[in-house]
Amino acid sequence: MSIIKCSTCGHQNKEGTTICEKCGKPLDYDQQGTLLNMRYDGSAIRSKTKNRSIVDKIWNFFSSIKVGVSLIAIALIASALGTIYPQKMYIPQNIDPALHYRDQYGLSGQIFYQLGFHNLYNSWWYMVLIALIGISIFIVSIDRGVPLYKALKNQAIKRHPNFLKRQKLFGEYKDYNEEDKTDFINKLKKHRYKITENDGHFLAEKGRFSRWGPYVNHLGLIIFLLGTLFRFIPFMYVDDFVWVREGETAVIPSTNQQYYIKNEEFIFETYGNDDEDAIFEAALQNTSGPVPKHFETSAIIYEDVSKDVIGSEPELKEINSGEIIVNEALKINDLALYQDSYQLNEFQTMSFKLHEADDEEEAAIAEFTVDLTDPESEYEFDNGYRVELNRFYPEYELDNGQPRSISNYPRNPGFVFFVHGPDIEEREASFLAIGQNIPSGDNQYKLSLTDFGVRDVSGLTVRKDLTLPIIGLGAFIFMIGVIQGMYWQHRRVWIHQGEDRIYIACHTNKNWYGLTKELEKVIDGTSFTMVQDQEKNNDT
Amino acid sequence: MDLLSLSSGLLYTAFVIYLIAFVFFAATIKDKQQEKQFTLMNKIAISTTILGFIAQVGYFITRWMASGHAPVSNMFEFVTFFGMMLVLAFTILYFIYRIELLGLFALPVALLIIGYASMYPKEVSPLVPSLKSHWLYIHVTTVALGEAILAVSFVAGIIYLIHQINQSKTTVKTTWLEIIMYAICATLGFVIITTIFSSMDYNATFSYAVDEEEMTLEYQLPAWFGPENGELVTDDKMDAVFTTPGWMHGAEAPRKLNTLVWSLTAGLLLYLILRISLRKRIAAAIQPLLKKANPELLDEACYRAVAIGFPVFTLGGLIFAAIWAQEAWNRYWGWDPKEVWALITFFFYAIFLHLRLSRGWHGEKSAWLAAIGFAIIMFNLIVVNLVLAGLHSYA
Amino acid sequence: MKKIEQAKQKKQIKKRNRFIFRSSILVVLFGALLFAVVSNLIAEEEATLDIGDKAKDFQLKRVANNEDAKKSTLQLSDLEGKGVMLNFWATYCEPCEREMPYMEKLYPKYQEQGVEIVAVSVDATELVIDKFVDHYDLSFPVLHDKDSQVLDAYGIRPLPTTYFIDENGVVVERVLGELSLERLEGYLQQIVPKET
């Protein structure tokens, strides 16, 4: 590492320094006559120093703002590409994504899928990109924050006249009296500048803390990114889903069968059934179906207090109850249950009557109700008739002419009944479903559907996210940093006492207009003329 | 119902007052004095603007009272609110920098935005359960304010560019400037065309089949692009000239494409009329009006608007959005297109600030960036809602 | 001379410290990156119970056509010392239905060698299982996981899912999806208890 020796005070400055750390004399001899670059206060950015090892080279790569900005730009473009078509999580889940993108969007959809853009934000390379931005932020902050902090902490009050002359706002005064100088300084004080003095030279400073803004917000971002990493630690994060039918108690997944939820009632309301909805009448006419107004699950949460083996009857103890509404989750310790979706009017019971096939009145010989959640295999009646439920298909479909169920849930139930009776030789079979009643032959008796009961199914998301406090903290610190850096400025006024004259120079890291207006107020009433904007003079 | 008509009356009043304020600002061009002089005309212009803003606040409050929820829940309401926030942001920046030219450009942009908003269905729409939260207005209003402040940076940037760019010969820069002018013309074209045909109550219905199911599509503009295998069912109306290409998806794609082509054509017509009657580039015609502009001050105002708007936008568009998403959809981030584009906006202005602060991108470069930033915001507001439908698709 | 030496030494130490500082930060940062990428890849195929794990014990009611078995329950730990094929299925699942006859066919042979077949149905109603068992005349124990507790504990996603568990209760193989007769027999051979 070579050292730059200041020609005026002899201080040994680190390589890369552009303004002497001690006396403030500009060291960039090749740039004479132009304004000083005041970024990082002229101190050496660490990475600008010589590097030899591979570690130094990697370090320097990431400490470059150019690299950081390029990484953000790449992330920007990549993010935009991912929105061309819906992401994998927003397409129907029961279809093969390859087919979906091809059928829906044609060739461009196929390319989109082949390039992996359908799951772009979870792809390894997008993750690496964001992580590289994080690394860049971290290294940049150390590399620039530390020297800047040192430079501002140890800044000299007395600066070399050349330093002052090369500031944007500068004034040189020969005829002045001491009173004006004190007056000027007092007025600066009134404007809440902190004044320090050395040998008749003054430094007035305010808002230095705003210089830490970028480093504070970078710290917030790093905490935020670390927070998202914690999601991969199993106990920190749970994301699951459960369907619960009205009246049913279901185990809450991802809780090791510790918690159960009972759906007491699912309430569903739509707009247009209420006087207060009259105002929406015009809008409702333009929608294709009813617009949901409110839905909630009235739920009870139980804990299984038995220590029995899995699958044995749980011993349930109520620990919480209440409504689960969109925007209002129900919590059990760290776990939260969110109202997500619903299925309305799933069949729960079906009632039938037995009557003679040619009886137009359909007078009931026997009546019975099948509980679709736990059907019995036989229904016996006092008058000697007996109905056997031979086959039950909760959601039936015809598969090569044969009925079979495609799910567990009674959405479209189908039944094969055998009717036995004193006047029936063997048995009479028939197939029943919604809108269907097929006898096996020339049946004497007929079964007819008389009534049915329905219930709603509530879909709940089970979520635990212990990373939220970390992420929230990161976001909070980020906001503090951004506001600190953006809404305040670091302003400095140097007053150099020369032999026969006085120099005044001013600097701010941004908002020069505000600084100029403030100085106008400060200078007003003193015999000093307004400091000159040297940049403007150069232009004209 | 009374409150509602009062509300729309107030909005109309605000629109007219903004128009008057714009005329007053135009009158200040003649002022010979340099900036920072607070002339009588200046005072009248800014007072009128504030009056218009108050009227629009009146619209906002009465509509809230009528509907029972913050009127930021559909495209019409949100875009109108965005226009209102643009006026607010302009007023704030005006009091900081006293640049009347800002008003000359910010008010027309605000007028255009409010005009654009009124092309959407204006009915009070009911809230679906996930929108029923205080975060609706906390999140949406902060986003609108943040984006509006960022839009003022675009306004300052565009004045800077028109003032600074050499118009003596055609360059890439003058071309891009004309593209921006054309984009403004196209928006105006959309508003004019839609207003003309809706005042005529134009309505043409097409029927078409999807998977053997009969569907209908209503057009409020004469149909150039009809649905695939569509058939005109309304009598005495123009039949579609072209068929919408098959790769455009969604039930309403043909109508959206039709509207887009209409707007672009009307915009082109407007642009050509202006161009021919002015006999020079539009930006070149505006340039002499900006003689007294102070480029350095404009540059600073442009940067300052980003410095003020960026934290507001981040707070509303990312942080408040995340908190609400956590409450409503149990995840603070879901890569919904609207969310992604908010992130892109964030990335973009982060780049803007880094380039300016560490790499010294001042003046022209920074003004071009401000223009791109505004394009991204508009993309997120319009294209993402209408084309890349997701959870945020209001209209 | 000594002064120069000292300065040189100081510079050396400074350089070394810088090297250590920078390397350790880079290691931590890139370690975090690697962690993120690897975790993301693993997260996609996550199962609660995998090969090499000890099979979780459970107890469920049997569904059977003979009266003795009907009221009884079966606990997995009772089968210790035997190899266990644990099959998760449902009546509405076609591939499950197809492999049932294979299981029935191989059951007598492997039962003699100390392998038990246990089929856990996740159907909602007992009736449908009962009719199914009747129809295929299944002789191995069929259990009813009415409240999906075992399904949840084993983290079952696709049906059928089959575990092959050795005599020590350790999962030897996990098969997602349908099995052919040959593959089924191959897996069964793997879990025949070793003679001691």
Side-chain angles (χ1 to χ4, degrees):
Chain A
M1 201 193 305
S2 70
I3 273 164
I4 304 170
K5 195 169 166 187
C6 177
S7 58
T8 308
C9 67
H11 181 77
Q12 301 197 327
N13 291 291
K14 264 190 237 162
E15 185 189 2
T17 311
T18 53
I19 299 168
C20 175
E21 287 172 335
K22 194 160 172 234
C23 69
K25 187 181 177 194
L27 300 172
D28 54 341
Y29 300 107
D30 49 336
Q31 300 284 317
Q32 297 287 350
T34 58
L35 291 184
L36 269 180
N37 183 350
M38 290 290 287
R39 243 174 266 151
Y40 313 113
D41 252 48
S43 63
I45 297 164
R46 296 193 157 193
S47 61
K48 291 276 167 67
T49 52
K50 254 204 187 114
N51 59 81
R52 283 187 198 96
S53 67
I54 180 92
V55 170
D56 287 335
K57 278 184 182 140
I58 297 173
W59 183 272
N60 292 347
F61 176 76
F62 282 107
S63 77
S64 148
I65 298 262
K66 215 195 271 175
V67 169
V69 166
S70 310
L71 287 171
I72 300 176
I74 296 169
L76 188 156
I77 293 164
S79 307
L81 286 176
T83 61
I84 295 176
Y85 295 126
Q87 287 287 298
K88 195 178 85 181
M89 52 219 161
Y90 291 113
I91 66 168
Q93 297 299 312
N94 49 1
I95 308 171
D96 180 12
L99 297 177
H100 177 85
Y101 285 100
R102 194 194 64 201
D103 297 346
Q104 286 289 312
Y105 310 107
L107 182 66
S108 55
Q110 250 175 310
I111 295 169
F112 188 79
Y113 176 77
Q114 287 299 329
L115 291 175
F117 287 0
H118 66 296
N119 198 15
L120 187 141
Y121 308 109
N122 293 319
S123 68
W124 64 269
W125 62 267
Y126 191 81
M127 226 167 163
V128 168
L129 195 57
I130 299 295
L132 289 181
I133 292 174
I135 292 173
S136 164
I137 287 171
F138 194 92
I139 291 177
V140 161
S141 305
I142 290 178
D143 226 45
R144 283 146 212 262
V146 174
L148 179 67
Y149 177 77
K150 281 186 183 161
L152 289 179
K153 201 177 169 221
N154 305 321
Q155 66 178 318
I157 295 162
K158 179 191 167 187
R159 296 283 180 132
H160 196 275
N162 281 351
F163 173 86
L164 274 77
K165 280 178 191 160
R166 287 179 61 195
Q167 294 297 325
K168 183 173 149 82
L169 291 180
F170 175 70
E172 196 174 341
Y173 309 94
K174 269 187 185 162
D175 304 315
Y176 70 98
N177 52 42
E178 278 301 313
E179 261 171 52
D180 279 332
K181 192 178 161 188
T182 7
D183 199 22
F184 181 67
I185 289 163
N186 281 337
K187 275 183 138 180
L188 281 172
K189 231 179 244 172
K190 255 188 215 140
H191 278 88
R192 275 184 266 148
Y193 279 85
K194 252 176 68 191
I195 314 283
T196 42
E197 194 227 342
N198 179 14
D199 268 350
H201 309 284
F202 289 88
L203 166 65
E205 186 181 18
K206 76 171 179 187
R208 193 200 284 179
F209 79 101
S210 88
R211 293 295 280 271
W212 318 135
Y215 308 103
V216 172
N217 82 49
H218 284 176
L219 175 74
L221 283 176
I222 288 160
I223 293 175
F224 179 90
L225 289 175
L226 284 179
T228 61
L229 274 190
F230 284 123
R231 171 177 287 199
F232 294 117
I233 303 170
F235 71 88
M236 300 282 276
Y237 185 76
V238 162
D239 177 19
D240 224 317
F241 188 89
V242 61
W243 286 109
V244 206
R245 287 160 170 76
E246 275 181 307
E248 228 182 47
T249 304
V251 61
I252 300 177
S254 299
T255 62
N256 287 322
Q257 299 80 47
Q258 190 188 359
Y259 297 110
Y260 287 73
I261 178 166
K262 182 174 184 199
N263 179 350
E264 290 270 274
E265 195 188 3
F266 182 77
I267 299 165
F268 180 78
E269 291 165 21
T270 55
Y271 279 100
N273 305 320
D274 225 322
D275 286 343
E276 59 178 24
D277 297 344
I279 188 128
F280 303 126
E281 206 175 26
L284 287 172
Q285 277 171 355
N286 294 333
T287 57
S288 48
V291 178
K293 183 180 182 179
H294 177 88
F295 51 94
E296 66 172 60
T297 308
S298 168
I300 302 176
I301 311 290
Y302 298 102
E303 185 176 359
D304 181 7
V305 290
S306 73
K307 294 280 177 283
D308 288 353
V309 61
I310 302 162
S312 57
E313 201 61 33
E315 198 178 310
L316 297 180
K317 196 183 118 217
E318 181 176 331
I319 53 165
N320 198 359
S321 68
E323 284 76 45
I324 307 174
I325 313 173
V326 188
N327 280 313
E328 286 171 53
L330 186 66
K331 301 216 163 74
I332 343 155
N333 302 330
D334 298 324
L335 211 65
L337 292 163
Y338 292 87
Q339 183 69 58
D340 184 272
S341 35
Y342 50 83
Q343 293 166 29
L344 298 178
N345 303 329
E346 185 180 281
F347 292 107
Q348 187 179 17
T349 60
M350 283 197 160
S351 303
F352 301 92
K353 65 176 177 187
L354 182 69
H355 59 89
E356 285 186 44
D358 50 9
D359 179 8
E360 276 178 26
E361 302 282 302
E362 301 193 349
I365 299 166
E367 282 182 297
F368 63 100
T369 298
V370 179
D371 179 359
L372 303 180
T373 63
D374 190 16
E376 286 169 44
S377 60
E378 273 190 345
Y379 300 84
E380 278 197 74
F381 310 103
D382 295 341
N383 54 10
Y385 289 90
R386 183 162 64 90
V387 176
E388 185 191 337
L389 177 51
N390 179 259
R391 284 282 187 279
F392 170 51
Y393 309 99
E395 187 175 4
Y396 104 90
E397 244 178 31
L398 283 180
D399 177 36
N400 291 329
Q402 287 297 309
R404 68 169 297 127
S405 186
I406 53 164
S407 88
N408 235 341
Y409 310 111
R411 296 185 188 121
N412 183 23
F415 309 84
V416 175
F417 286 113
F418 290 164
V419 181
H420 305 264
D423 51 349
I424 300 170
E425 251 179 55
E426 204 180 338
R427 64 186 187 197
E428 283 185 356
S430 56
F431 176 79
L432 269 82
I434 312 274
Q436 293 206 43
N437 197 335
I438 306 162
S440 63
D442 193 12
N443 284 357
Q444 187 186 349
Y445 292 96
K446 189 177 175 186
L447 280 165
S448 298
L449 181 68
T450 54
D451 200 8
F452 59 85
V454 291
R455 61 176 174 177
D456 301 331
V457 192
S458 173
L460 304 168
T461 304
V462 182
R463 184 61 67 98
K464 172 165 106 172
D465 196 346
L466 296 183
T467 68
L468 285 180
I470 306 168
I471 282 170
L473 180 73
F476 182 72
I477 292 176
F478 173 79
M479 270 326 289
I480 300 262
V482 169
I483 288 170
Q484 171 183 350
M486 290 284 136
Y487 294 175
W488 275 273
Q489 305 87 31
H490 180 214
R491 291 174 178 170
R492 278 177 292 176
V493 179
W494 292 277
I495 303 163
H496 185 95
Q497 184 67 61
E499 274 179 15
D500 58 340
R501 63 191 76 185
I502 191 168
Y503 303 99
I504 297 177
C506 320
H507 181 262
T508 180
N509 62 336
K510 63 172 171 300
N511 189 9
W512 287 92
Y513 178 77
L515 176 66
T516 315
K517 288 196 79 175
E518 189 172 62
L519 280 171
E520 273 169 5
K521 280 187 202 148
V522 171
I523 284 174
D524 189 42
T526 67
S527 69
F528 294 118
T529 51
M530 181 61 191
V531 285
Q532 290 300 305
D533 186 339
Q534 304 204 80
E535 215 164 45
K536 229 178 205 168
N537 294 347
N538 289 346
D539 285 348
T540 48
Chain B
M1 282 306 132
D2 225 9
L3 264 179
L4 257 189
S5 42
L6 173 66
S7 172
S8 46
L10 280 169
L11 181 61
Y12 189 71
T13 313
F15 189 85
V16 174
I17 296 178
Y18 289 151
L19 207 63
I20 296 168
F22 166 61
V23 174
F24 284 136
F25 272 113
T28 62
I29 294 182
K30 293 255 154 57
D31 283 354
K32 283 280 179 276
Q33 284 112 327
Q34 271 284 320
E35 79 271 354
K36 281 185 263 179
Q37 299 288 335
F38 217 25
T39 63
L40 182 66
M41 194 45 100
N42 273 329
K43 280 181 193 159
I44 293 173
I46 192 69
S47 311
T48 317
T49 310
I50 293 170
L51 197 69
F53 180 74
I54 292 169
Q56 204 178 354
V57 170
Y59 140 82
F60 188 77
I61 293 171
T62 44
R63 192 170 168 101
W64 191 331
M65 285 158 70
S67 68
H69 60 78
V72 285
S73 68
N74 61 27
M75 204 62 178
F76 161 70
E77 290 173 341
F78 179 73
V79 178
T80 308
F81 185 76
F82 177 63
M84 175 167 134
M85 287 297 106
L86 184 59
V87 174
L88 177 67
F90 152 69
T91 313
I92 293 169
L93 266 290
Y94 180 82
F95 278 110
I96 298 177
Y97 291 109
R98 300 276 152 86
I99 311 173
E100 313 89 62
L101 282 175
L102 227 47
L104 198 60
F105 282 77
L107 283 178
V109 173
L111 282 167
L112 208 53
I113 286 172
I114 297 170
Y116 174 76
S118 64
M119 300 301 119
Y120 286 96
K122 289 198 266 300
E123 292 95 15
V124 178
S125 49
L127 288 186
V128 295
S130 65
L131 290 183
K132 285 184 177 169
S133 166
H134 292 306
W135 289 104
L136 170 67
Y137 56 84
I138 299 173
H139 157 64
V140 181
T141 54
T142 329
V143 173
L145 180 64
E147 288 183 344
I149 300 172
L150 292 172
V152 173
S153 88
F154 157 73
V155 170
I158 199 86
I159 302 173
Y160 182 94
L161 290 174
I162 296 176
H163 182 266
Q164 290 295 92
I165 281 171
N166 182 0
Q167 292 283 1
S168 60
K169 59 175 190 286
T170 309
T171 57
V172 181
K173 287 174 186 173
T174 57
T175 310
W176 275 107
L177 213 47
E178 289 311 287
I179 290 173
I180 296 175
M181 295 298 133
Y182 169 67
I184 294 170
C185 285
T187 317
L188 189 60
F190 168 74
V191 174
I192 292 171
I193 288 291
T194 316
T195 312
I196 290 173
F197 282 103
S198 74
S199 67
M200 288 162 54
D201 269 333
Y202 188 91
N203 190 315
T205 307
F206 283 81
S207 75
Y208 62 103
V210 174
D211 298 334
E212 288 165 34
E213 204 181 327
E214 196 71 8
M215 308 276 270
T216 59
L217 190 60
E218 279 184 41
Y219 283 70
Q220 273 76 40
L221 294 174
W224 288 344
F225 287 89
E228 222 172 346
N229 304 320
E231 199 180 317
L232 184 68
V233 287
T234 324
D235 295 330
D236 305 330
K237 291 279 150 55
M238 191 185 95
D239 201 354
V241 187
F242 308 102
T243 302
T244 307
W247 50 265
M248 298 190 102
H249 285 272
E252 294 183 339
R255 191 175 62 202
K256 284 173 183 167
L257 176 71
N258 193 54
T259 311
L260 181 72
V261 173
W262 262 104
S263 312
L264 293 180
T265 316
L268 190 66
L269 217 65
L270 260 176
Y271 179 82
L272 287 177
I273 291 169
L274 280 172
R275 185 90 192 245
I276 289 165
S277 55
L278 293 168
R279 281 168 223 218
K280 53 176 110 168
R281 278 178 231 111
I282 295 181
I286 302 173
Q287 199 173 38
L289 302 173
L290 308 179
K291 259 187 210 134
K292 66 170 185 173
N294 174 353
E296 223 180 297
L297 196 60
L298 282 169
D299 179 48
E300 191 169 317
C302 169
Y303 165 52
R304 198 77 193 286
V306 175
I308 298 173
F310 180 70
V312 178
F313 175 78
T314 310
L315 188 68
L318 297 176
I319 296 179
F320 286 164
I323 297 173
W324 189 16
Q326 180 69 35
E327 281 197 5
W329 300 310
N330 59 65
R331 82 285 184 293
Y332 55 86
W333 193 259
W335 299 110
D336 172 74
K338 194 89 176 177
E339 289 175 342
V340 175
W341 278 92
L343 182 69
I344 288 171
T345 314
F346 173 81
F347 278 158
F348 183 82
Y349 282 101
I351 293 174
F352 177 104
L353 290 170
H354 280 98
L355 287 177
R356 180 154 184 131
L357 293 172
S358 334
R359 302 205 64 81
W361 280 38
H362 291 253
E364 217 178 288
K365 282 177 177 168
S366 158
W368 282 117
L369 286 179
I372 298 171
F374 184 69
I376 294 178
I377 290 174
M378 284 295 119
F379 186 90
N380 198 5
L381 185 61
I382 297 164
V383 183
V384 171
N385 276 39
L386 299 184
V387 184
L388 312 171
L391 296 165
H392 284 80
S393 59
Y394 301 123
Chain C
M1 265 333 229
K2 215 176 173 191
K3 229 176 179 177
I4 297 171
E5 282 289 295
Q6 262 178 349
K8 229 177 187 174
Q9 214 171 10
K10 222 171 149 187
K11 221 164 92 180
Q12 281 290 321
I13 293 170
K14 224 174 157 185
K15 217 169 130 186
R16 208 187 58 211
N17 284 348
R18 195 184 70 194
F19 179 79
I20 294 169
F21 174 75
R22 289 184 173 182
S23 323
S24 42
I25 284 181
L26 284 175
V27 164
V28 170
L29 290 177
F30 278 93
L33 187 153
L34 204 69
F35 170 74
V37 172
V38 169
S39 312
N40 191 40
L41 290 178
I42 291 173
E44 279 172 14
E45 40 173 312
E46 170 193 14
T48 320
L49 203 66
D50 212 341
I51 295 165
D53 293 343
K54 184 115 174 103
K56 283 184 194 167
D57 192 18
F58 62 85
Q59 177 190 341
L60 286 174
K61 273 205 191 104
R62 281 189 68 170
V63 181
N65 35 20
N66 67 50
E67 284 303 316
D68 274 350
K70 211 168 193 166
K71 294 271 151 25
S72 70
T73 59
L74 189 143
Q75 187 160 351
L76 187 66
S77 55
D78 291 346
L79 301 175
E80 227 171 60
K82 289 181 176 178
V84 178
M85 170 189 170
L86 184 59
N87 175 257
F88 287 89
W89 69 288
T91 56
Y92 53 83
C93 149
E94 276 192 78
C96 305
E97 192 171 348
R98 281 196 293 269
E99 61 184 22
M100 279 296 168
Y102 305 151
M103 286 155 64
E104 183 58 33
K105 189 176 168 202
L106 296 174
Y107 180 54
K109 180 177 160 196
Y110 284 91
Q111 197 184 21
E112 267 177 28
Q113 299 179 36
V115 173
E116 194 61 52
I117 293 181
V118 177
V120 175
S121 163
V122 301
D123 277 286
T125 58
E126 201 178 312
L127 181 92
V128 291
I129 311 170
D130 201 25
K131 300 290 179 191
F132 186 94
V133 171
D134 255 2
H135 183 246
Y136 285 97
D137 210 11
L138 303 177
S139 54
F140 50 84
V142 174
L143 310 179
H144 187 197
D145 187 18
K146 193 173 188 326
D147 297 320
S148 304
Q149 290 157 308
V150 181
L151 187 83
D152 179 53
Y154 275 68
I156 305 295
R157 305 255 171 214
L159 285 179
T161 292
T162 312
Y163 286 94
F164 294 90
I165 302 162
D166 70 9
E167 68 267 33
N168 303 316
V170 176
V171 176
V172 178
E173 199 66 59
R174 182 183 58 139
V175 181
L176 306 177
E178 195 180 343
L179 279 163
S180 64
L181 186 64
E182 293 73 34
R183 281 178 69 204
L184 177 61
E185 180 143 28
Y187 290 128
L188 285 174
Q189 277 162 1
Q190 280 185 43
I191 53 167
V192 171
K194 289 159 199 76
E195 301 291 335
T196 43

